[in-house]
Amino acid sequence: MKPDGTIIDLIAPNNDNESITSSCETLVANINVRGLSHQTKAALRVRAAKEGMSLEAYARRALQRASMDNDSEPKSLLEQAEKFFGKKHGVELDLPERSTRRQPADFG
């Protein structure tokens, strides 16, 4: 159970059902999400309806897309900086020429 009270169960056929699993090409898993607010469910239903889908089909598609998302792989600091501050998101500034040189530090 998550701290917010949401429970996610993953139910899949086990080895006790060998006759069922051996006759199926692909195994199908079910996910039950408990503790989902009524507002969230209603918003998902509206989105599904706009797409011309059932809530179940819409949720299935969203989960399939999320599972194929490669953004979950760790990226280097350079790749993350490029994503947020790269050429697509930055501005080109004309830097003025320096007119004077700094004096070297005197540690004496």
Side-chain angles (χ1 to χ4, degrees):
M1 180 182 294
K2 292 183 178 181
D4 64 358
T6 304
I7 301 171
I8 300 177
D9 292 333
L10 178 62
I11 305 167
N14 60 21
N15 290 337
D16 296 337
N17 298 329
E18 289 180 28
S19 61
I20 295 173
T21 58
S22 63
S23 65
C24 298
E25 284 186 29
T26 56
L27 300 177
V28 178
N30 296 311
I31 296 176
N32 297 319
V33 180
R34 297 183 188 98
L36 193 63
S37 72
H38 293 291
Q39 293 86 1
T40 301
K41 184 177 178 182
L44 289 172
R45 276 195 191 281
V46 169
R47 287 183 179 191
K50 285 181 180 179
E51 296 283 330
M53 306 171 83
S54 69
L55 177 57
E56 180 181 347
Y58 183 81
R60 185 182 310 111
R61 185 181 73 179
L63 290 169
Q64 287 170 340
R65 286 180 176 174
S67 71
M68 293 179 188
D69 187 11
N70 291 332
D71 285 341
S72 61
E73 293 181 21
K75 294 185 177 181
S76 71
L77 181 60
L78 179 63
E79 290 173 320
Q80 290 179 359
E82 181 70 27
K83 178 180 176 182
F84 293 106
F85 306 110
K87 293 178 183 177
K88 295 179 188 177
H89 305 289
V91 249
E92 289 294 324
L93 299 175
D94 293 325
L95 298 176
E97 293 289 326
R98 290 186 179 236
S99 58
T100 60
R101 294 186 65 153
R102 294 185 181 194
Q103 296 297 321
D106 182 17
F107 297 106

